[in-house]
Amino acid sequence: MERIGHRALRDRVMSADEAAALIRPGDTVGMSGFTGSGYPKAIPPALAARIDAAHAAGEAFRIKLWTGASTGPELDGALSRADAVEYRLPYNSDPVGREKINRGEIDYLDMHLSHVAPMVWEGFFGKLDVAVIEVTGIKEDGSLIPATSVGNNKTWIECADKVILEVNAWHDMRLEGMHDIYYGTALPPNRVPIPMTHADDRIGQTTFRCDPAKVAGIVLTDLPDRNTPFTPIDDGSRAIAGLIVDFLEHEVRMGRMGEGLLPLQSGVGNVANAVLDGLRKSRFEGMRAYTEVLQDGMLDLLDSGKLLSCSTTALSLSPEGAKRFWAGLDDYRDKVILRTTEISNHPEVIRRLGVISMNGMIEADIYGNINSTLVMGSRIMNGIGGSGDFARNAYLSFFVSPSTAKGGKISTIVPQASHVDHITQDVQVIVTEQGLADLRGLSPKKRAEAIIAKCAHPDYRDGLQDYYDRARAGAYGLQTPQLPSESLSWHQRFIETGDMRPG
Amino acid sequence: MERIGHRALRDRVMSADEAAALIRPGDTVGMSGFTGSGYPKAIPPALAARIDAAHAAGEAFRIKLWTGASTGPELDGALSRADAVEYRLPYNSDPVGREKINRGEIDYLDMHLSHVAPMVWEGFFGKLDVAVIEVTGIKEDGSLIPATSVGNNKTWIECADKVILEVNAWHDMRLEGMHDIYYGTALPPNRVPIPMTHADDRIGQTTFRCDPAKVAGIVLTDLPDRNTPFTPIDDGSRAIAGLIVDFLEHEVRMGRMGEGLLPLQSGVGNVANAVLDGLRKSRFEGMRAYTEVLQDGMLDLLDSGKLLSCSTTALSLSPEGAKRFWAGLDDYRDKVILRTTEISNHPEVIRRLGVISMNGMIEADIYGNINSTLVMGSRIMNGIGGSGDFARNAYLSFFVSPSTAKGGKISTIVPQASHVDHITQDVQVIVTEQGLADLRGLSPKKRAEAIIAKCAHPDYRDGLQDYYDRARAGAYGLQTPQLPSESLSWHQRFIETGDMRPG
Ligand SMILES: CC(C)(COP(=O)(O)OP(=O)(O)OC[C@H]1O[C@@H](n2cnc3c(N)ncnc32)[C@H](O)[C@@H]1OP(=O)(O)O)[C@@H](O)C(=O)NCCC(=O)NCCS
Ligand SMILES: CC(C)(COP(=O)(O)OP(=O)(O)OC[C@H]1O[C@@H](n2cnc3c(N)ncnc32)[C@H](O)[C@@H]1OP(=O)(O)O)[C@@H](O)C(=O)NCCC(=O)NCCS
């Protein structure tokens, strides 16, 4: 209760069940949460239970669910399992949600994260009924101390008719002051420049404004973030990391960047952590990060003193990482800045800063088009997230992946991408454990030669070369030779036989 | 000669042949020119003749050619015909050049126009040897009065070892003062906000800086821009324009925009002119344009008083349009602003202003992915140009096309795009003469239903519905149901039979 500074609001404390009862069938609900942190953990399971009961009684009850990005099992997992979600945006990585989406049971709109807040404000998605936001605390004036992610919370709080808060005592009160909530955005024609010129500039305030009259309920919790265990770095990831560090060293030698590089953006996952580990062991000094998620590797890099600061919209730590983060909080406070996704992913800022962007992929085709989302062109993995915001506006955009998936049965380098998230114009460097293809300045056919030679797995290299040679001889045009009769046949073979390799 | 204010530079006047002789085999040459205006018209043909002679003598002679965007027959046409171009960026619409590219004889890098200047500065494409720039005049201090397009000229002049100028007396001297050349760009980490908040803000100077010591030659000309004749508006284009105007009226009624709309960007071509004509006849008042090209329809709109100003990087007029433009110049001077492509296409500015973007397409697939460039996935039409800069950052991005091409033998709505330039996330509205699909907020399957029902031609609608139904029943995943065994079969059928319709 002492986390609720605003006296009058103490009266709105209620149980998770009571709070869940404030949500009506058909409501559009904006919840906090970004990569498994800062999402509400008590109300969603209570809502799922309520919806389960309604369904058992033969009543229709589903909601439209908006978040910052992915959340945790208590939110996407519980609600998906209860068939409670009719519509979902902008990102999901929950396995239960994914399964329902891929069975066609949830309408899923996979969006550029930088588009979400503006388009909601512009009214393109209709009205937001309820916001359910996890916070660290409520101040005396009713303003809210954000939790371990910011995401779209500012927008949900401002746009929703009513706001329900989860005040989570698991979050250290010293988080206060780490956030940078920028209130300078507007709708056109009233937009102005975002006054940021360095990755670690602070341009906003440390709390969310919130009209106490809109707060319909408050639930007190003490529950940990998702905090997925960390997997040790494997050889393939280490090889990719080594290639990237070598390449960046080359760029520094060419005089294109200083020893501090340019602000780093890195996706989540094994390869990303390996790259951060590689940078920690490199000779670079005075680096900064401008990214969406702060993972364990970033903590190591901060601890090493080589990374001066990290701007992010969310923490995404392992359980050990979270422990370290709380233990070292007095140190991290000045180095870590948590921003709204509207700013962390803003094309204006990313292009101005000249971010070095490194993201994972599902597959790349020989011309350098990237599929980040849809396995075999149809089955969603997670979503595009912020990868498009970063890749198109980056100073250098890297896409990385092992050269094969599923024990070698899938080549991640294919004749034609079965779906495209990042067009070849947005991709400067592709890296697999086989090698690095520097695509800058290369026309499509030169790209194909580089990608096949450098990135493809030996099991698939000859097949790609053979396809490319035949396309060059017989395609409808030779700017980007493709044979539509067989450019997706590798995917088709996998669907039919479970292996892209001819039987 | 009186157009060369700088006395000492008068000594550098020479013939086009002499100027062409300053270009060496293997040079990278940056030429002016954007959509058929402001390109050099005397030196390229002289260079082509010189290269023809070299080739006849058995000598190797090719250059790497960079421009703003498309040029004219005297430039791309003459040089392509002479097999003088080894490498070309960032855009081509010349038929001879296109043919050579599609035969694999020119290495063509089709780029986002907003990427060109920054990446050249960043050193990603190597050194620029020579700049060949058409100008209206040279001032006493050696600064240059730009011509009818700005494009990348500022960058070419600054980056090239030597500069060759064509001073073209065809351009009215009253052009001086219409240009806005912004010198505030920089390389990261030194970039700052672009200080523009309205489409017609002036933020730069009216001339190009140019070190007279770098000027290696000056050629005097009096030659018209390409100025392609205007084709009268056809019924299909008029239908598309009507649907767009209705849609915008609806948005105004919903309170999402005022009567002046938001700044307009429109591509070139028949449909674009029809839309401008529709806007002229609409009830909108106080409009502004923030675009890449000013075509005849924009003049009409300016003349009507409904368009207050037009920011562009180039004029692209018919011969009659050009005559009108010169005749009305005293009036247009205050309303037309010619900027560098770096600024006209800058994501920061486009997103801030909230541009309404309208571009043509080759094809759209049922999920709303757009192909703007590669017929049957392989054969280049023109290039992506600025369409990606605008579509991703627009307030509303429209893609428009007749529902069929080649007399009905091609459906421009297909199961899967044979190439993707604009991912579905960057497309809010698709319009054909059949109807308008408002895709905002729709998940992929809802998009497919809207696009098939609203945009497809009746000859192809059942085929698309049948494909979609079967994909929904049998795809590998149901987020974006596709059947890789047949998603490109319509293209394959056209390649084999010349018709997408089953025989
Ligand atoms: C593309 C993406 C899924 C790769 O994830 P990752 O953790 O880096 O890479 P992994 O190699 O571990 O692959 C993850 C899964 O995808 C599978 N996969 C990868 N490539 C595949 C392919 N071509 N075909 C089928 N499955 C594939 C892997 O087998 C693995 O599956 P599993 O979880 O069942 O083992 C991930 O980067 C992503 O979601 N990207 C889009 C959003 C984004 O870029 N966010 C970054 C911040 S902006
Ligand atoms: C896509 C684009 C080619 C359409 O051009 P347009 O003039 O608006 O439209 P049209 O319908 O007249 O089509 C132009 C040609 O493409 C052909 N075409 C159109 N769709 C086609 C398709 N699906 N398959 C084959 N050919 C097609 C037309 O038949 C026509 O050919 P022709 O010149 O031989 O008669 C053009 O908009 C473009 O180049 N866009 C990319 C760059 C851009 O968007 N710039 C805008 C400024 S940022």
Side-chain angles (χ1 to χ4, degrees):
Chain A
M1 204 55 110
E2 70 281 6
R3 290 208 175 204
I4 307 179
H6 189 282
R7 299 265 144 188
L9 282 178
R10 291 188 180 174
D11 296 343
R12 308 241 177 109
V13 172
M14 56 179 69
S15 71
D17 286 336
E18 288 169 314
L22 299 172
I23 297 170
R24 301 158 306 178
D27 269 356
T28 297
V29 186
M31 296 205 185
S32 61
F34 198 108
T35 51
S37 65
Y39 58 94
K41 298 162 181 80
I43 297 170
L47 178 63
R50 181 172 163 225
I51 291 179
D52 269 335
H55 289 175
E59 291 159 28
F61 195 153
R62 295 211 289 169
I63 62 164
K64 300 194 180 71
L65 176 62
W66 304 352
T67 63
S70 60
T71 66
E74 308 92 319
L75 199 171
D76 268 298
L79 290 174
S80 298
R81 201 170 283 111
D83 286 322
V85 185
E86 168 187 341
Y87 179 92
R88 178 81 177 88
L89 69 75
Y91 190 86
N92 170 74
S93 71
D94 181 80
V96 185
R98 180 186 297 139
E99 192 50 38
K100 300 257 167 166
I101 292 167
N102 282 317
R103 275 198 245 133
E105 296 166 13
I106 298 176
D107 251 346
Y108 173 45
L109 182 59
D110 166 20
M111 293 184 65
H112 291 304
L113 297 184
S114 76
H115 276 174
V116 181
M119 288 192 178
V120 165
W121 276 106
E122 286 153 8
F124 291 178
F125 305 135
K127 201 167 71 70
L128 183 65
D129 299 297
V130 191
V132 183
I133 310 290
E134 187 182 75
V135 296
T136 299
I138 303 173
K139 303 200 36 141
E140 275 153 47
D141 62 0
S143 66
L144 309 174
I145 305 165
T148 41
S149 72
V150 180
N152 291 312
N153 296 356
K154 162 181 168 285
T155 299
W156 296 172
I157 292 166
E158 290 194 284
C159 293
D161 287 343
K162 58 182 174 221
V163 175
I164 309 177
L165 300 171
E166 286 197 11
V167 179
N168 186 352
W170 184 78
H171 297 306
D172 196 302
M173 281 298 279
R174 289 172 299 163
L175 280 176
E176 186 180 351
M178 292 180 74
H179 306 88
D180 187 57
I181 315 299
Y182 178 63
Y183 276 89
T185 57
L187 288 177
N190 299 315
R191 290 193 182 134
V192 295
I194 297 165
M196 192 188 299
T197 50
H198 302 93
D200 44 13
D201 283 348
R202 290 185 168 273
I203 59 171
Q205 56 182 69
T206 57
T207 55
F208 297 122
R209 297 176 192 158
C210 179
D211 175 3
K214 266 180 38 169
V215 177
I218 299 174
V219 178
L220 301 175
T221 67
D222 188 353
L223 296 164
D225 279 333
R226 182 180 74 198
N227 300 124
T228 323
F230 180 80
T231 28
I233 297 171
D234 62 63
D235 290 344
S237 302
R238 205 183 306 277
I240 292 172
L243 289 161
I244 292 179
V245 171
D246 286 351
F247 178 86
L248 293 173
E249 277 175 356
H250 170 261
E251 292 297 297
V252 171
R253 273 197 306 276
M254 298 292 289
R256 287 199 273 262
M257 288 186 267
E259 292 289 326
L261 304 179
L262 285 164
L264 303 166
Q265 177 262 337
S266 110
V268 283
N270 206 346
V271 181
N273 262 316
V275 173
L276 296 173
D277 193 57
L279 290 170
R280 189 173 56 81
K281 293 174 183 152
S282 75
R283 60 187 187 80
F284 304 127
E285 294 277 357
M287 293 179 277
R288 287 177 167 82
Y290 195 81
T291 189
E292 256 181 42
V293 283
L294 185 156
Q295 64 271 59
D296 287 36
M298 284 281 180
L299 287 189
D300 297 334
L301 211 46
L302 284 170
D303 290 348
S304 75
K306 298 190 162 192
L307 186 71
L308 303 181
S309 65
C310 179
S311 164
T312 181
T313 191
L315 309 180
S316 183
L317 299 166
S318 69
E320 311 82 70
K323 265 194 218 117
R324 259 171 74 197
F325 185 75
W326 296 134
L329 199 52
D330 288 329
D331 232 38
Y332 295 130
R333 274 177 59 94
D334 298 331
K335 296 177 184 160
V336 175
I337 304 166
L338 284 149
R339 305 186 195 273
T340 59
T341 304
E342 217 177 342
I343 299 298
S344 69
N345 286 52
H346 204 299
E348 170 176 338
V349 179
I350 295 166
R351 204 168 280 216
R352 182 179 306 143
L353 297 178
V355 170
I356 297 175
S357 155
M358 296 175 281
N359 289 296
M361 64 185 184
I362 299 282
E363 62 188 9
D365 69 24
I366 56 174
Y367 297 111
N369 300 288
I370 303 289
N371 176 1
S372 293
T373 56
L374 286 163
V375 175
M376 306 301 140
S378 292
R379 180 185 284 270
I380 193 87
M381 180 63 75
N382 303 311
I384 193 167
S387 53
D389 300 321
F390 281 95
R392 181 161 296 177
N393 297 297
Y395 173 83
L396 274 176
S397 124
F398 292 80
F399 280 92
V400 303
S401 169
S403 67
T404 61
K406 304 297 169 202
K409 294 193 179 108
I410 289 176
S411 175
T412 59
I413 309 295
V414 292
Q416 180 157 10
S418 59
H419 171 81
V420 175
D421 292 286
H422 307 292
I423 64 173
T424 182
Q425 283 89 343
D426 298 336
V427 182
Q428 278 87 48
V429 186
I430 295 180
V431 197
T432 70
E433 83 291 349
Q434 297 294 320
L436 177 149
D438 176 4
L439 305 174
R440 291 175 296 175
L442 300 189
S443 66
K445 291 189 289 297
K446 293 283 194 310
R447 293 189 159 220
E449 286 158 23
I451 293 170
I452 295 171
K454 303 282 174 113
C455 302
H457 189 277
D459 284 359
Y460 291 98
R461 197 177 293 141
D462 291 348
L464 290 167
Q465 187 66 44
D466 173 59
Y467 171 83
Y468 174 63
D469 289 342
R470 285 181 297 105
R472 233 174 6 173
Y476 187 72
L478 299 187
Q479 166 66 358
T480 304
Q482 286 287 17
L483 302 172
S485 59
E486 58 167 300
S487 58
L488 299 175
S489 62
W490 294 28
H491 300 89
Q492 184 60 23
R493 190 179 303 126
F494 177 82
I495 293 172
E496 287 169 12
T497 70
D499 200 322
M500 278 191 177
R501 290 167 295 200
Chain B
M1 202 59 109
E2 69 281 4
R3 291 206 175 203
I4 306 179
H6 189 282
R7 298 267 145 187
L9 281 179
R10 293 187 179 174
D11 296 344
R12 309 242 174 107
V13 172
M14 56 179 70
S15 71
D17 287 336
E18 286 169 315
L22 298 171
I23 297 170
R24 299 158 307 178
D27 269 356
T28 297
V29 185
M31 297 205 186
S32 62
F34 198 108
T35 51
S37 65
Y39 57 95
K41 298 163 181 79
I43 297 170
L47 179 62
R50 184 176 159 221
I51 292 179
D52 269 335
H55 289 172
E59 290 159 28
F61 194 152
R62 296 212 288 169
I63 61 164
K64 299 193 179 73
L65 176 62
W66 304 353
T67 63
S70 61
T71 67
E74 308 92 319
L75 200 171
D76 268 298
L79 290 175
S80 298
R81 203 170 282 113
D83 287 322
V85 185
E86 169 188 341
Y87 179 94
R88 180 81 177 87
L89 67 77
Y91 190 85
N92 170 76
S93 71
D94 181 80
V96 186
R98 180 187 295 138
E99 194 48 40
K100 300 257 168 167
I101 292 167
N102 282 317
R103 276 198 246 133
E105 295 167 13
I106 296 176
D107 251 347
Y108 174 44
L109 183 59
D110 166 20
M111 292 183 67
H112 291 304
L113 296 185
S114 77
H115 275 175
V116 182
M119 286 192 180
V120 165
W121 276 106
E122 286 155 5
F124 291 179
F125 305 136
K127 200 166 72 68
L128 182 64
D129 298 298
V130 190
V132 182
I133 310 291
E134 188 183 73
V135 296
T136 299
I138 303 173
K139 303 200 35 142
E140 274 153 47
D141 63 359
S143 66
L144 310 174
I145 305 166
T148 42
S149 71
V150 180
N152 291 313
N153 296 355
K154 164 180 166 283
T155 299
W156 297 173
I157 292 166
E158 290 193 285
C159 292
D161 287 342
K162 58 183 174 223
V163 175
I164 307 176
L165 301 171
E166 286 196 12
V167 179
N168 186 354
W170 185 79
H171 298 306
D172 197 300
M173 281 297 281
R174 289 172 299 164
L175 280 175
E176 187 179 351
M178 293 182 72
H179 306 88
D180 188 57
I181 315 298
Y182 178 63
Y183 277 90
T185 56
L187 289 177
N190 300 314
R191 289 192 182 135
V192 296
I194 297 165
M196 192 188 297
T197 51
H198 302 94
D200 44 14
D201 284 348
R202 289 184 170 274
I203 59 172
Q205 56 181 70
T206 57
T207 55
F208 296 123
R209 297 176 192 159
C210 179
D211 176 3
K214 267 181 36 170
V215 177
I218 300 175
V219 177
L220 301 176
T221 68
D222 189 352
L223 297 164
D225 279 335
R226 184 179 71 197
N227 299 126
T228 322
F230 180 80
T231 29
I233 296 172
D234 61 63
D235 290 345
S237 301
R238 207 183 306 279
I240 291 172
L243 290 160
I244 292 179
V245 171
D246 287 351
F247 178 86
L248 293 174
E249 277 174 357
H250 171 260
E251 292 298 296
V252 171
R253 275 198 305 279
M254 298 294 287
R256 287 200 273 261
M257 286 186 267
E259 291 289 327
L261 304 179
L262 285 165
L264 304 166
Q265 177 263 336
S266 111
V268 285
N270 208 345
V271 182
N273 262 316
V275 173
L276 297 173
D277 192 58
L279 290 171
R280 190 173 55 82
K281 293 173 183 152
S282 74
R283 59 184 189 81
F284 304 127
E285 294 277 358
M287 293 179 277
R288 288 180 168 81
Y290 194 82
T291 188
E292 254 180 43
V293 283
L294 184 156
Q295 63 270 57
D296 286 38
M298 284 281 178
L299 286 190
D300 297 335
L301 212 47
L302 284 169
D303 289 348
S304 75
K306 298 191 162 189
L307 185 70
L308 303 182
S309 64
C310 178
S311 165
T312 181
T313 191
L315 308 181
S316 183
L317 300 167
S318 71
E320 311 81 70
K323 265 194 219 116
R324 259 171 74 199
F325 186 74
W326 297 134
L329 198 53
D330 288 330
D331 232 39
Y332 295 131
R333 274 178 57 94
D334 298 333
K335 297 179 183 159
V336 175
I337 303 166
L338 284 149
R339 304 185 195 273
T340 59
T341 304
E342 216 177 342
I343 298 300
S344 69
N345 286 51
H346 204 297
E348 170 175 338
V349 179
I350 296 167
R351 203 166 280 215
R352 182 179 305 142
L353 297 177
V355 170
I356 298 177
S357 154
M358 297 176 281
N359 289 297
M361 64 185 185
I362 298 282
E363 62 188 9
D365 69 25
I366 55 175
Y367 296 110
N369 300 288
I370 303 288
N371 176 2
S372 293
T373 57
L374 287 163
V375 175
M376 307 300 141
S378 292
R379 181 187 284 269
I380 193 87
M381 180 63 76
N382 302 311
I384 193 166
S387 54
D389 301 321
F390 281 95
R392 181 161 297 176
N393 296 298
Y395 173 82
L396 274 176
S397 124
F398 292 80
F399 280 92
V400 304
S401 169
S403 67
T404 61
K406 303 297 169 203
K409 297 195 178 106
I410 289 177
S411 175
T412 59
I413 309 294
V414 292
Q416 180 157 10
S418 59
H419 171 80
V420 175
D421 292 287
H422 307 292
I423 64 172
T424 183
Q425 282 89 344
D426 298 336
V427 182
Q428 277 88 49
V429 186
I430 294 179
V431 197
T432 70
E433 82 292 348
Q434 298 294 320
L436 177 149
D438 176 3
L439 306 175
R440 291 175 296 176
L442 300 189
S443 65
K445 290 188 290 296
K446 294 282 193 313
R447 293 189 156 218
E449 286 157 25
I451 292 169
I452 295 171
K454 304 282 175 111
C455 303
H457 190 276
D459 285 358
Y460 291 98
R461 197 177 293 141
D462 291 348
L464 289 167
Q465 188 66 46
D466 173 60
Y467 171 83
Y468 174 63
D469 290 342
R470 287 182 296 106
R472 233 175 5 173
Y476 187 72
L478 299 186
Q479 166 66 358
T480 304
Q482 286 287 17
L483 302 171
S485 60
E486 59 168 299
S487 58
L488 299 174
S489 62
W490 294 29
H491 300 88
Q492 183 61 23
R493 191 180 303 124
F494 176 82
I495 292 172
E496 286 169 11
T497 70
D499 200 321
M500 277 191 176
R501 291 168 294 201

